[in-house]
């Protein structure tokens, strides 16, 4: 059976990988789903670590509780940043699409007002 000591490095690596994925997402090198899958896996691993706390001595339990809390806070921060980035890029994409649609409509109306017939 896995111990909390064995899981902690894995969780730290998942947290690091998630930060890297966020950076790559912001540089359009990765998709948001990859980031959120990584964060979900980190959350599951941290839950497992939390369930293992009862096996530790009270002093160690307090140390591990703090370490788990720090990783959860880090993961929550990365998730918030990822959500913010995806919302902003989604909004920018919608804005650009709306802009293009309005410009196309404006051009069609301009052609129609100049005496040409709009067949669209």
């Amino acid at each position: 059976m896995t111990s909390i000591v064995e899981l902690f490095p894995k969780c730290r690596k998942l947290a690091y990988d998630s930060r890297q994925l966020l950076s790559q997402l912001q540089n359009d090198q990765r998709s948001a789903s990859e980031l959120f899958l990584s964060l979900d896996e980190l959350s599951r691993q941290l839950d497992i670590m939390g369930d293992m706390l009862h096996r530790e001595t009270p002093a160690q339990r307090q140390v591990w509780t703090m370490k788990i809390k720090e990783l959860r806070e880090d993961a929550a921060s990365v998730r918030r940043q990822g959500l913010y980035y995806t919302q902003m890029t989604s909004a920018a994409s919608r804005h650009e699409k709306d802009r293009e649609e309005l410009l196309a409509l404006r051009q069609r109306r301009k052609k129609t007002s100049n005496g040409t017939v709009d067949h669209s």
Side-chain angles (χ1 to χ4, degrees), residues 50-80:
D51 292 342
M52 295 177 159
L53 283 173
H54 71 279
R55 298 181 196 163
E56 301 296 322
T57 63
Q60 285 297 315
R61 194 175 307 138
Q62 188 175 14
V63 170
W64 286 117
T65 300
M66 289 302 298
K67 289 181 179 188
I68 292 169
K69 181 181 176 193
E70 288 172 6
L71 285 175
R72 282 193 194 281
E73 289 171 354
D74 187 35
S77 174
V78 170
R79 185 176 298 273
R80 278 192 306 274

Side-chain angles (χ1 to χ4, degrees), residues 23-117:
S23 176
Q24 292 170 348
L25 170 66
Q26 292 169 334
N27 291 321
D28 293 326
Q29 297 172 341
R30 294 293 182 119
S31 69
S33 61
E34 290 178 87
L35 170 64
F36 296 121
L37 283 172
S38 177
L39 289 168
D40 290 344
E41 177 62 21
L42 175 57
S43 179
R44 280 190 293 278
Q45 294 299 317
L46 289 171
D47 289 343
I48 292 169
M49 283 181 66
D51 292 342
M52 295 177 159
L53 283 173
H54 71 279
R55 298 181 196 163
E56 301 296 322
T57 63
Q60 285 297 315
R61 194 175 307 138
Q62 188 175 14
V63 170
W64 286 117
T65 300
M66 289 302 298
K67 289 181 179 188
I68 292 169
K69 181 181 176 193
E70 288 172 6
L71 285 175
R72 282 193 194 281
E73 289 171 354
D74 187 35
S77 174
V78 170
R79 185 176 298 273
R80 278 192 306 274
Q81 291 174 57
L83 287 170
Y84 177 78
Y85 179 79
T86 56
Q87 288 172 349
M88 295 311 294
T89 56
S90 177
S93 175
R94 279 193 316 271
H95 177 73
E96 182 64 25
K97 182 181 174 192
D98 290 346
R99 182 179 181 278
E100 288 173 10
E101 288 174 1
L102 288 172
L103 286 173
L105 178 62
R106 183 177 179 191
Q107 289 175 347
R108 284 195 307 267
R109 286 184 178 164
K110 187 175 181 181
K111 286 179 184 178
T112 303
S113 68
N114 288 337
T116 60
V117 178

